[in-house]
Amino acid sequence: MAAKEDTFDRIEMMIVLNIYRAAFFALFFSFSVVAQTSQPIENSTAADELSVNDALEDIRNGDIEKGMGILESLGRQANPTALFHLAEMARIGIGRDKSIPIATMYYRMSGQLGNEAAALKLANILYFDGTGSEAELAEAVSVWQTYALKGNPEAAYVLGTLYWNGEVGSAPDPVRGYGLVWRAAQTGYNPAEQAELSMRAQMNGAARSAGEAYGKALETEGFGGGQLALELLIDGYSGDTDGEGGQNPAEKPEDWAKVWRLEVGFAMDDAGASELLERIRREEAATVKDLYGEVIKSPNRVGMYRLVFGPVNTMNDAVSMCVVLKRAGHDCFAQPPTADDVPSES
């Protein structure tokens, strides 16, 4: 009986998705028809937005069916704001069963009609919670690139961390990654400000300057070409350790600054850092089981702490491990051996 019910559920879901696919084409058909009428677009948009606000007010007051009906009606008229809220409700499960596929569809439709928030939500779902297919990852990166070029700091920050860790292209692109994060930090975007401090500690002055120049000229430089200014990174971004091979990976390094390692999370208090350390050891054991992990003082925040795991043999290993941790929701930076970094506590 359970298998039969599952079959009916799948059939019902396919019917729902087919209905929404049909609605998608109807939306764009109606949109093209409306564009040919003589009604002023500004007045129509203002009326639509008023109706969206009315719908949200109905939903807040408990009349979910009425509010959803208004949003769905506006959605059929290709209203991007209405489609965005339909996506949010499908994602959370308000008024209907929770459905990420339907939410994703609505986010995509709204984003294609110019809604920035919808496009960025779509990118996050595709990249961090999707199937991991090349098509979904490429679509997410394309969305972030589009909005980074439009000056969106969140898009620039996310892209910067991806380039830094080698998740775009075939290898890490740290100068480009730093430039994007630096640009986002200039707007006061807090996650970027924290990441920029960590990144700059790993780069020599010439590499930082090249990254900042790229960030300033992003609109004209774009995302073409290979890795940026690799010749400037010889002193600060090597794939080799300092030659102390043969060390037991589970043994604490004598000096963290002399080995490749993972720094996980931003500055936090001692209790928070210790709790995160245990959670990562428990939930990401397959990734960090052969690494020594500990809580160390934050190099840039007095009285604050962060996590470090290592030693890691090569840059590629460190980047690969960071990719896994980032996809699990943890901020992770692959740190190279450098005399300028903070030594471990004794």
Side-chain angles (χ1 to χ4, degrees):
M1 176 65 74
K4 187 174 181 181
E5 290 178 354
D6 288 344
T7 300
F8 284 133
D9 288 343
R10 287 195 294 271
I11 292 173
E12 183 179 1
M13 179 58 72
M14 289 301 297
I15 292 171
V16 170
L17 290 177
N18 285 333
I19 290 172
Y20 281 118
R21 289 191 186 99
F24 174 82
F25 291 109
L27 285 172
F28 282 91
F29 176 77
S30 64
F31 181 73
S32 63
V33 171
V34 170
Q36 298 174 33
T37 68
S38 59
Q39 181 181 7
I41 295 176
E42 299 89 340
N43 294 340
S44 175
T45 301
D48 285 352
E49 293 306 313
L50 179 61
S51 297
V52 169
N53 290 334
D54 291 340
L56 297 178
E57 186 64 24
D58 288 332
I59 292 169
R60 281 191 290 269
N61 291 335
D63 197 343
I64 295 176
E65 287 301 317
K66 180 180 177 182
M68 291 286 288
I70 294 173
L71 292 177
E72 289 169 350
S73 176
L74 291 170
R76 288 190 291 272
Q77 300 171 45
N79 180 289
T81 308
L83 290 168
F84 171 76
H85 288 294
L86 286 171
E88 293 281 87
M89 292 172 187
R91 180 177 61 84
I92 299 170
I94 296 177
R96 305 286 188 273
D97 290 340
K98 177 180 177 179
S99 174
I100 297 302
I102 291 176
T104 300
M105 180 192 67
Y106 277 134
Y107 282 132
R108 182 177 284 112
M109 293 164 67
S110 180
Q112 289 173 345
L113 290 167
N115 188 293
E116 184 172 308
L120 295 175
K121 284 285 184 71
L122 172 67
N124 282 319
I125 288 176
L126 292 177
Y127 199 93
F128 297 109
D129 298 313
T131 64
S133 70
E134 290 297 323
E136 287 190 349
L137 298 181
E139 183 179 359
V141 169
S142 177
V143 169
W144 284 319
Q145 288 176 339
T146 296
Y147 283 96
L149 291 172
K150 293 181 179 182
N152 183 282
E154 177 188 338
Y157 163 69
V158 174
L159 271 180
T161 60
L162 296 181
Y163 276 108
W164 178 273
N165 282 332
E167 296 181 62
V168 181
S170 58
D173 194 352
V175 172
R176 191 185 305 275
Y178 173 75
L180 288 163
V181 170
W182 175 86
R183 179 181 172 116
Q186 301 311 297
T187 69
Y189 187 66
N190 185 257
E193 290 180 322
Q194 296 293 318
E196 191 272 338
L197 290 173
S198 178
M199 289 176 172
R200 72 163 38 242
Q202 304 176 45
M203 306 180 77
N204 58 45
R208 287 198 303 272
S209 295
E212 291 173 10
Y214 170 74
K216 291 175 183 177
L218 178 61
E219 288 80 2
T220 55
E221 294 293 327
F223 298 98
Q227 295 156 283
L228 190 64
L230 287 181
E231 71 280 0
L232 301 178
L233 294 169
I234 295 174
D235 294 333
Y237 205 90
S238 168
D240 299 322
T241 64
D242 65 350
E244 295 183 8
Q247 187 178 27
N248 185 342
E251 183 178 323
K252 178 180 177 179
E254 292 183 5
D255 188 345
W256 282 110
K258 293 184 178 180
V259 298
W260 273 96
R261 67 241 183 240
L262 315 179
E263 288 196 359
V264 182
F266 294 116
M268 63 195 88
D269 61 34
D270 190 15
S274 298
E275 180 182 348
L276 181 59
L277 175 63
E278 292 307 314
R279 181 150 59 93
I280 290 176
R281 280 174 169 162
R282 181 176 65 254
E283 297 176 0
E284 307 301 329
T287 302
V288 303
K289 64 179 181 179
D290 293 328
L291 305 179
Y292 186 92
E294 70 170 334
V295 174
I296 64 171
K297 290 181 178 179
S298 172
N300 304 306
R301 300 283 298 277
V302 176
M304 303 297 280
Y305 298 83
R306 67 184 310 163
L307 305 185
V308 63
F309 292 91
V312 183
N313 291 330
T314 67
M315 177 183 73
N316 288 338
D317 289 342
V319 168
S320 296
M321 291 176 183
C322 265
V323 168
V324 174
L325 292 178
K326 286 177 71 65
R327 286 183 174 166
H330 303 290
D331 288 293
C332 180
F333 298 92
Q335 299 279 31
T338 167
D340 295 328
D341 216 327
V342 178
S344 62
E345 297 176 49
S346 27

